[in-house]
Amino acid sequence: MQKTSASSAHEERSGRPPGDEGAAPQGGPRAPQSSDARDARDARDARGARGRRPRAVVIGSGFGGLAAAVRLGVRGYEVTVVDKLDEPGGRAYVHRQDGFTFDAGPTVITAPFLFEELWQLCGRSMADDIDLRPVTPFYRIRFHDGATFDYTGDAAAMRAEVARLSPGDVEGYERFVKMSEAIFRVGFEELAHVPFGSWKDMARIVPDMVKLESYRTVYGLVSKYVKDDRLRQVLSFHPLLVGGNPFSTTSIYSLIAFLERNWGVHFPIGGTGALVRGLVSLIEGLGGSVRCGAEVRRIAVEGGRARGVELASGERLAADIVVSNADSAWTYRNLVPPEARKRWTDRRIERQRYSMSLFVWYFGTRRQYPDVAHHTILLGPRYKALLEDIFQRHVLADDFSLYLHRPTATDPALAPPGCDAFYVLSPVPNLLSGTDWPATQERYRRSISKLLEATLLPGLDGALASSRLLTPQDFQDRLLSFRGAAFGPEPVLTQSAFFRPHNASEDVEHLYLVGAGTHPGAGLPGVLSSARVLDQVVPDASKFR
Ligand SMILES: Cc1cc2nc3c(=O)[nH]c(=O)nc-3n(C[C@H](O)[C@H](O)[C@H](O)COP(=O)(O)OP(=O)(O)OC[C@H]3O[C@@H](n4cnc5c(N)ncnc54)[C@H](O)[C@@H]3O)c2cc1C
């Protein structure tokens, strides 16, 4: 993996400065040319030396970008992934400090078959590189009164847990599980990897959506099946994993319950960074490269077509196609010139609803807490009202619901001997709250620490060995996410499928989008599926030969 932007794969192979012909001039689009002349010049620029593979530049090395790079490499493209950060992974960046390994983002690995597929496309097996372990319970849910619920994939154990909480809801729970499977069969198997390029694609699925009651929210659907308030929370929190409010996210997202139940929840030995490194090695094995420390300032658009990218350093990379794995709102608003955008105007981008953000505290302890599960959800005193504060009112509340990650429960090597690695995550409003995070973060961290100390982690304050924070401000400044949203546009029905920024740009030819801000949406299954969609919308490499 290259870590500097000093040399370009394109430059090395073509013997001419990158982008000296292929990229748009700095002053904006050129005058229109005849399409024949343009096509001939495109072909020449893109091919350079005879027989060269067509070029693809992928902006961003999040899981969506890495998966897209693997797929394009397999299909014969010469792929360069560029990322502004100094290491790949995006939200799955790995922080190493004080002997601890902190995976910054995703920790609940579902749909392992989507990763396996990437290895298989390269003629390999994921098990050659990754030791993926099942995690159980999937989640230990701790209610505000201290009672707990172990959420697992074991049907009998789940029935027993539901009966313990609310005996009258067992039958309704079983029916909910069946409904979740029916939703999965349509929502995941038939829709997740399909490009929603036109109204017709949307119209085609309307009857199924009506049948599956997609007009209901996740909480609304769950409430139809079970009565107990705590059980409703247990069965409805999943949209929060992809940036959605259970009270406004379409019930299609109830499919996550079946996805987890059928394929389990997993965690790789070495942390999620092992998956990032594995994908980078697949890309390199296909002749592609990953360049870190290379921020894209602009996508070069000429005659309505993406021609390459221009880096913050001024270097240009010519390309036949450009794939943006950067935040979709940021891509259009900041990387595509305004004159090239008819649909994704600044006004439209500003009018979209954006997901919540996150406050994450990564910390290591000098002692271990063996009784704490790998994944714990600590529900606070308020559910609906807290979510309204976060999503609608955009105010930072004094109370919170938390997710606590203890990866050392599965892989003790992520911390020094006798220690534990953790992160605790609190869903918070995006930057529309106006919170001054640099001034607020320490006070907020302390109140979370106090709660953890009083509940699951006695003696925490005195045992701290390492600490770092991630705030909504960092989502904006470090990850270039519009309004500091952690998951792109909020996953409501009116911002899903056809209504989400398309995988094949509506505005710029040969520009494609993958990742959380495009179809189907956030979360690892979502972003890996967005890369799958590319197989249908990106032309065969032979078109450019
Ligand atoms: C704390 C946290 C916990 C999560 N937990 C889970 C979980 O347990 N399970 C799950 O499935 N999902 C989880 N998610 C969601 C999941 O991690 C994300 O949806 C997914 O990783 C996003 O991937 P992506 O492909 O959209 O790219 P991202 O990870 O967002 O990466 C985009 C990359 O683009 C780069 N970039 C942006 N602009 C530019 C530019 N101009 N030039 C160059 N590079 C640029 C950025 O540096 C970044 O590396 C979690 C998210 C967070 C933040």
Side-chain angles (χ1 to χ4, degrees):
M1 183 200 323
Q2 293 167 266
K3 286 185 73 176
T4 69
S5 55
S7 73
S8 145
H10 296 171
E11 186 178 2
E12 281 160 17
R13 290 183 188 115
S14 71
R16 65 175 165 79
D20 69 342
E21 289 181 60
Q26 284 188 340
R30 288 183 182 135
Q33 305 167 20
S34 85
S35 66
D36 279 351
R38 214 168 46 221
D39 285 347
R41 208 206 55 203
D42 286 350
R44 192 187 67 234
D45 286 351
R47 252 187 273 116
R50 234 182 143 70
R52 178 186 309 176
R53 294 190 290 162
R55 294 165 176 163
V57 168
V58 178
I59 308 167
S61 63
F63 274 116
L66 295 175
V70 171
R71 288 177 175 278
L72 292 170
V74 168
R75 291 180 60 201
Y77 283 86
E78 179 188 319
V79 186
T80 305
V81 181
V82 287
D83 199 297
K84 99 181 245 292
L85 299 180
D86 64 344
E87 296 278 350
R91 278 154 169 78
Y93 187 94
V94 181
H95 299 285
R96 289 187 183 82
Q97 64 178 48
D98 307 319
F100 294 87
T101 301
F102 297 115
D103 286 316
T107 58
V108 179
I109 311 296
T110 52
F113 51 88
L114 289 175
F115 281 104
E116 182 66 57
E117 189 182 30
L118 296 171
W119 263 264
Q120 284 180 6
L121 284 170
C122 300
R124 312 257 316 270
S125 164
M126 180 162 67
D128 297 341
D129 297 324
I130 309 287
D131 181 358
L132 201 59
R133 302 278 174 95
V135 175
T136 196
F138 296 168
Y139 314 94
R140 174 159 298 148
I141 295 155
R142 186 184 185 282
F143 301 103
H144 193 54
D145 63 6
T148 59
F149 182 103
D150 274 4
Y151 192 121
T152 67
D154 181 304
M158 276 297 274
R159 249 193 319 272
E161 280 295 84
V162 171
R164 196 167 59 80
L165 205 64
S166 174
D169 275 328
V170 174
E171 187 263 339
Y173 163 72
E174 300 281 8
R175 285 192 295 119
F176 170 73
V177 171
K178 286 206 180 80
M179 184 63 167
S180 167
E181 177 171 2
I183 295 172
F184 176 88
R185 298 286 171 221
V186 175
F188 192 88
E189 290 185 344
E190 290 181 30
L191 308 183
H193 57 281
V194 172
F196 277 87
S198 85
W199 265 103
K200 286 189 200 140
D201 300 323
M202 199 71 200
R204 190 174 49 80
I205 65 163
V206 167
D208 273 337
M209 291 178 78
V210 172
K211 204 164 103 203
L212 295 171
E213 303 177 37
S214 307
Y215 49 84
R216 287 187 198 273
T217 65
V218 169
Y219 189 85
L221 188 77
V222 166
S223 301
K224 198 182 135 183
Y225 291 99
V226 298
K227 301 274 171 288
D228 183 84
D229 189 45
R230 291 190 299 180
L231 195 53
R232 286 178 173 177
Q233 295 182 36
V234 165
L235 298 179
S236 72
F237 73 83
H238 285 96
L240 288 163
L241 302 176
V242 293
N245 178 352
F247 292 89
S248 52
T249 302
T250 160
S251 61
I252 291 180
Y253 282 87
S254 303
L255 66 80
I256 301 174
F258 179 74
L259 182 71
E260 288 179 344
R261 182 176 179 144
N262 216 39
W263 285 276
V265 164
H266 304 265
F267 191 74
I269 296 301
T272 45
L275 285 167
V276 173
R277 289 190 294 280
L279 292 179
V280 169
S281 78
L282 292 184
I283 293 164
E284 291 174 342
L286 293 163
S289 59
V290 179
R291 291 181 56 184
C292 291
E295 179 172 347
V296 171
R297 179 166 60 192
R298 203 168 68 96
I299 295 170
V301 182
E302 215 183 300
R305 261 192 193 186
R307 307 285 180 176
V309 300
E310 184 181 306
L311 303 183
S313 63
E315 184 187 355
R316 294 178 184 190
L317 301 179
D320 296 282
I321 64 163
V322 174
V323 176
S324 181
N325 175 225
D327 179 62
S328 56
W330 195 281
T331 296
Y332 280 116
R333 203 166 185 281
N334 299 84
L335 304 184
V336 177
E339 61 274 17
R341 294 187 265 134
K342 282 207 177 69
R343 180 170 173 84
W344 291 105
T345 58
D346 288 359
R347 195 172 130 81
R348 182 184 284 268
I349 292 164
E350 265 145 40
R351 281 172 47 192
Q352 289 232 301
R353 279 166 59 172
Y354 290 88
S355 73
M356 62 179 181
S357 193
L358 300 171
F359 177 91
V360 192
W361 177 30
Y362 310 89
F363 60 94
T365 54
R366 254 173 237 113
R367 53 165 289 193
Q368 290 176 321
Y369 294 89
D371 296 337
V372 176
H374 189 134
H375 304 290
T376 307
I377 291 172
L378 292 99
L379 291 168
R382 304 183 301 149
Y383 190 53
K384 187 173 187 197
L386 176 63
L387 292 168
E388 279 169 5
D389 280 350
I390 296 170
F391 285 89
Q392 273 126 279
R393 287 193 281 273
H394 296 115
V395 296
L396 183 65
D398 290 330
D399 58 331
F400 26 63
S401 284
L402 304 172
Y403 158 67
L404 180 67
H405 182 221
R406 187 172 79 92
T408 31
T410 302
D411 184 359
L414 297 171
C419 300
D420 257 339
F422 288 94
Y423 85 47
V424 61
L425 169 164
S426 174
V428 293
N430 61 37
L431 289 176
L432 281 181
S433 73
T435 307
D436 178 352
W437 278 104
T440 310
Q441 60 191 39
E442 183 50 24
R443 176 182 60 74
Y444 198 72
R445 184 201 68 77
R446 271 204 306 273
S447 55
I448 289 178
S449 174
K450 223 167 121 193
L451 181 91
L452 291 177
E453 180 138 8
T455 52
L456 295 178
L457 308 178
L460 171 60
D461 206 33
L464 274 185
S466 189
S467 174
R468 75 177 299 133
L469 297 176
L470 176 73
T471 74
Q473 196 64 46
D474 299 315
F475 278 96
Q476 179 182 268
D477 300 345
R478 180 178 156 81
L479 289 157
L480 305 185
S481 302
F482 189 64
R483 297 210 172 124
F487 305 87
E490 197 184 331
V492 289
L493 197 54
T494 50
Q495 297 189 156
S496 298
F498 176 77
F499 304 112
R500 223 166 164 77
H502 295 182
N503 305 95
S505 169
E506 303 95 306
D507 285 324
V508 180
E509 216 185 325
H510 293 176
L511 170 64
Y512 303 91
L513 273 69
V514 291
T518 182
H519 172 70
L524 298 190
V527 305
L528 295 178
S529 296
S530 72
R532 257 182 132 206
V533 176
L534 289 198
D535 284 353
Q536 293 170 67
V537 294
V538 170
D540 274 353
S542 58
K543 174 179 156 60
F544 300 103
R545 286 207 176 101

